[in-house]
Amino acid sequence: MSSAEVYDTESKQWSYIPEMTSPRSGVSLVAYENTLFAIGGFNGYTRLATGEKYTPDVSAGWTEIPEMLTPRSNFATAILDEYIFVIGGFNDRFVSGSATINYVEYYDNESNEWYDAASMNVSRSALSACVVHGLPNARDYTFLRRNNEIGQDASNGNP
């Protein structure tokens, strides 16, 4: 299905927005920086690595974003440290035996590129993910902190 709808909290009604360029099921939608991203999914024949974005008041329709590194459907998305993370999912093209994957990657909207992230220990599909703010040690587990520490070590001459 390529149609999309948005909910208006003031009028309490759903309305259509322009259709996506590619029909998708098992797609993941995430809103980030006033833009709606439709990522991955299944078109009835194959798992998709493609994605597209729609920014109301700026664009008349959906525009493509670069392809993910791994095609997938039925995966989780979360915004963490200003990146869109895609987590796990289903991919029957590259995986022998199990079609559930443990791969994680993230999209940098500023550079318009996808990057590899650490894979999960267990393959998961049809999952959810969230970011919990306010945990006393939450910063210890964030992606940017690890990147900053790696950068600091490298600047000190430590690999």
Side-chain angles (χ1 to χ4, degrees):
M1 177 176 293
S2 58
S3 65
E5 298 179 66
V6 295
Y7 183 73
D8 185 326
T9 56
E10 290 182 20
S11 69
K12 296 184 168 93
Q13 294 192 358
W14 289 91
S15 60
Y16 287 102
I17 59 174
E19 286 192 0
M20 293 179 283
T21 60
S22 177
R24 305 165 184 272
S25 66
V27 62
S28 193
L29 294 171
V30 63
Y32 178 63
E33 294 184 342
N34 198 38
T35 300
L36 180 61
F37 289 83
I39 304 168
F42 180 69
N43 66 5
Y45 304 101
T46 187
R47 307 296 155 192
L48 302 173
T50 59
E52 48 194 305
K53 64 182 180 178
Y54 173 68
T55 307
D57 306 325
V58 174
S59 57
W62 295 82
T63 57
E64 292 182 0
I65 64 171
E67 289 191 5
M68 292 183 288
L69 305 174
T70 303
R72 63 183 82 210
S73 66
N74 305 88
F75 57 96
T77 53
I79 306 297
L80 177 63
D81 293 334
E82 302 176 9
Y83 301 114
I84 300 172
F85 278 77
V86 296
I87 305 158
F90 189 83
N91 176 338
D92 50 3
R93 249 176 46 185
F94 297 126
V95 182
S96 60
S98 171
T100 300
I101 58 175
N102 64 344
Y103 309 133
V104 179
E105 55 192 277
Y106 66 97
Y107 176 73
D108 181 345
N109 193 39
E110 191 172 310
S111 70
N112 195 35
E113 292 186 52
W114 287 96
Y115 299 93
D116 239 343
S119 293
M120 295 182 294
N121 294 320
V122 176
S123 295
R124 299 175 191 277
S125 178
L127 67 153
S128 296
C130 67
V131 176
V132 180
H133 295 282
L135 293 176
N137 64 340
R139 191 71 180 159
D140 293 340
Y141 299 99
T142 66
F143 184 74
L144 285 180
R145 176 167 182 227
R146 285 196 300 275
N147 266 3
N148 289 338
E149 287 174 353
I150 291 168
Q152 289 171 356
D153 287 347
S155 66
N156 294 334
N158 300 327

